[in-house]
Amino acid sequence: MSLLQALAKAGALRTLDHALAQSLKRLDPETPELVLAAAALASLAVASGHAGFDPTGPQRLVEAPIDWPTPEAWREALESSSWVARPDTAVDESAADAPLVYEHGLVYLRRYREYERRLAVDLCRIGSAAADPALPPPAGEDAQGADGGNPATPPQDRQAEAATLALHHNLLLVTGGPGTGKTTTITRMLVLLVAQALEAGGPPPRIALAAPTGRAAERMAESVRKAVQALPVLGIDPALGAHLPTAGTTLHRLLGTIPDSPRFRHHADNPLPFDVVVVDEASMIDLPLMAKLVEAVPDGARLVLLGDPDQLPSVEAGDVLAGILRAVGATEADATGRRFPARHVHLTRGWRQSASLDLAPLAAAVREGDSATALSLLRDGGLSGVHFHEGESDPLQSQREHFLAHWAAMADAADPAEALARANRLRILTAVREGPQGARAVNARIEDLLAGTRRGGGPASTASRWFHGRLLLVTENSYRHRLFNGDVGICLRDSGGTLMAWFPGDDPAKPRPFHPASLPAHDSAFAMTVHKAQGSEFDEVWLVLPERGNRVLSRELVYTGMTRARDRLHVAGNAGVIAEALARHAGRWSGLGWRLTAASTKSVPGHRRPQGATL
């Protein structure tokens, strides 16, 4: 039995993966079986979140008992195949038109290799733009500026350091956990940039605030508005804050969606009309979207990426933030003395999500994979706002009245804006989508609990598909509606009694109504997977873990779920599953880190893609 047949028999491949391999075989019946299998696994790898496939560790992608070839056998087959491009350099030369690329130990689908390559070149283009020579170096920056700061520096000083770095460098990363002051830091940075421009007699910089999801963009803009209000306390002229943006936008809206097209209005030949682009929740951004975003940043503009490197990577392919941080953290420059031209400040202050929630010790244990400490903290009950429901598999039964009261308050809100605000008071988060503790099953049970009170019939009735108070989660992008994967809305009757689905708009006080039947694919959102909740925060979070272990469980998933809570965190699950999750990393196969280091040795400032080229 061939390797491809074994993979198919084990049910490891999707139909699309198998079809790719079969198409290569039809075009060239002499194609080696290992090349066909590599094509199928490269396709599967992208679906699993990787940029490419590593033949030295196929067990990481497929857990079935397969008799895997040796790495040498893979390499020999790939290097001799006409279906596989092997670029001599990873910086200047595009891969040939072969559907696969074998480079630096990874097998790529050609398109994803190109996303990665273009992203590296464009990040170096942005970062290599000359700093203002009239400005002195920021205090505390070392000779090479590899990491913008000393962890021992007091938090407020590190925030000031990050803000000052932005005056001298066009590519800046600010990382840290929730509550460590990332948005405050950025506000100080933007105020400095405004003051610098006005002092030089020029106009204030054009600034964009963006994030992968609407909720994350709204949170960032709200935090900036609050930080601006606090400027007078810091002795800063409030007039400077008046030049800062008061609203955020999704990356899709920033780039300009085109109906029924994966392309955007802004790209290399029509760059964004901004001098500073600030992007929050960078860990959520997948490889294709980040490549298109960075391509659209104009020459000479600043790009600032905010994120928490301990959170889950993007749902789609790539682990972009981790790759950039690896390149920034590289300690050795090549013979030219050049290195990746970005600066990084990591804010490490211990935090409390709110006065009522002390999450720092637990979050630290989870980040480190220290299950013994994490379980001890959960069981001890000494952390304010943290509650452990050990062995609890069905909070819907034990906490029924509590949940029903929340959903009733949400549905009884005076208007859609208030309903959406109330929706963020509580959310059930699950590790998985399917299974008894998965989001789909939990949502179905919740809808049954609400049956008869707001639905037009029983659980199976057509009239019950949408009902007053149903919380909705969009699961696919609709450029025509300007609704995107992860957007959350609510079904409410309008003043005329017509049931409409309301979603946040550019103005948080004025949600946008849609007829439910016209919406793109969507699910209920009373319960959401942790992945879907990333970029959001809720006053109260119930993190419900499966009764049995699952390969999707990781310390990053548990950390991300826990840190969605602002005031109260409830963890429902058993100790064995938690220990298994904390023992696993959610790492991705990617070549971005080495590619950025390699690209930085080339002269790329001002480089733009030729007219008409697309990704």
Side-chain angles (χ1 to χ4, degrees), residues 181-236:
K182 295 190 296 294
T183 310
T184 302
T185 300
I186 291 308
T187 304
R188 296 174 70 171
M189 177 202 79
L190 296 177
V191 167
L192 281 176
L193 290 174
V194 169
Q196 179 192 47
L198 295 178
E199 186 175 348
R206 298 165 298 172
I207 301 167
L209 303 178
T213 67
R215 180 57 185 155
E218 181 184 334
R219 277 182 46 225
M220 177 170 60
E222 180 182 4
S223 297
V224 169
R225 291 194 296 269
K226 290 180 179 177
V228 167
Q229 293 172 0
L231 291 179
V233 179
L234 300 174
I236 298 173

Side-chain angles (χ1 to χ4, degrees), residues 42 152 195 243 307 354 403:
H243 296 288
S354 70
F403 289 132

Side-chain angles (χ1 to χ4, degrees), residues 417-490:
E418 182 182 344
L420 288 170
R422 289 185 180 184
N424 288 319
R425 293 178 181 174
L426 181 150
R427 195 65 49 88
I428 298 173
L429 303 184
T430 69
V432 294
R433 176 178 167 82
E434 307 296 339
Q437 286 82 38
R440 176 170 287 181
V442 173
N443 275 316
R445 293 188 56 210
I446 292 170
E447 291 183 15
D448 287 344
L449 283 176
L450 300 175
T453 59
R454 299 172 206 139
R455 303 198 332 176
S461 75
T462 302
S464 70
R465 187 177 181 187
W466 300 288
F467 56 91
H468 183 82
R470 184 189 179 195
L471 207 57
L472 300 176
L473 172 71
V474 173
T475 58
E476 70 175 15
N477 294 335
S478 174
Y479 300 106
R480 179 168 61 90
H481 294 85
R482 290 199 305 142
L483 291 173
F484 303 101
N485 191 351
D487 285 355
V488 173
I490 189 169

Side-chain angles (χ1 to χ4, degrees), residues 364-402:
V366 170
R367 285 199 313 269
E368 297 299 321
D370 186 350
S371 58
T373 299
L375 287 168
S376 175
L377 289 168
L378 285 168
R379 287 167 170 161
D380 179 62
L383 299 179
S384 61
V386 178
H387 309 274
F388 186 30
H389 305 265
E390 187 167 3
E392 175 67 74
S393 61
D394 189 10
L396 284 182
Q397 181 174 349
S398 61
Q399 304 290 327
R400 172 174 173 160
E401 296 307 316
H402 176 62

Side-chain angles (χ1 to χ4, degrees), residues 107-296:
V107 182
Y108 293 90
L109 299 181
R110 184 176 69 86
R111 177 181 293 270
Y112 282 84
R113 186 266 182 178
E114 280 299 289
Y115 282 135
E116 200 174 84
R117 186 184 72 86
R118 289 300 318 167
L119 175 57
V121 171
D122 276 319
L123 282 171
C124 288
R125 168 183 61 83
I126 294 169
S128 298
D132 188 340
L135 293 171
E141 184 180 359
D142 61 27
Q144 294 179 324
D147 192 352
N150 184 340
T153 304
Q156 293 80 4
D157 292 345
R158 300 208 76 205
Q159 291 179 7
E161 180 182 12
T164 308
L165 278 171
L167 298 179
H168 302 264
H169 304 289
N170 279 11
L171 183 56
L172 179 66
L173 290 90
V174 180
T175 60
T180 51
K182 295 190 296 294
T183 310
T184 302
T185 300
I186 291 308
T187 304
R188 296 174 70 171
M189 177 202 79
L190 296 177
V191 167
L192 281 176
L193 290 174
V194 169
Q196 179 192 47
L198 295 178
E199 186 175 348
R206 298 165 298 172
I207 301 167
L209 303 178
T213 67
R215 180 57 185 155
E218 181 184 334
R219 277 182 46 225
M220 177 170 60
E222 180 182 4
S223 297
V224 169
R225 291 194 296 269
K226 290 180 179 177
V228 167
Q229 293 172 0
L231 291 179
V233 179
L234 300 174
I236 298 173
D237 184 357
L240 295 175
H243 296 288
L244 270 56
T246 59
T249 183
T250 64
L251 291 176
H252 287 84
R253 289 172 185 156
L254 175 73
L255 292 173
T257 57
I258 300 175
D260 304 316
S261 172
R263 299 180 181 178
F264 294 104
R265 299 187 189 281
H266 291 288
H267 43 72
D269 297 322
N270 182 31
L272 292 164
F274 296 104
D275 305 302
V276 184
V277 178
V278 181
V279 181
D280 199 6
E281 298 291 352
S283 64
M284 296 176 60
I285 307 175
D286 59 63
L287 177 60
L289 183 57
M290 184 66 88
K292 294 173 183 179
L293 167 67
V294 172
E295 176 196 63

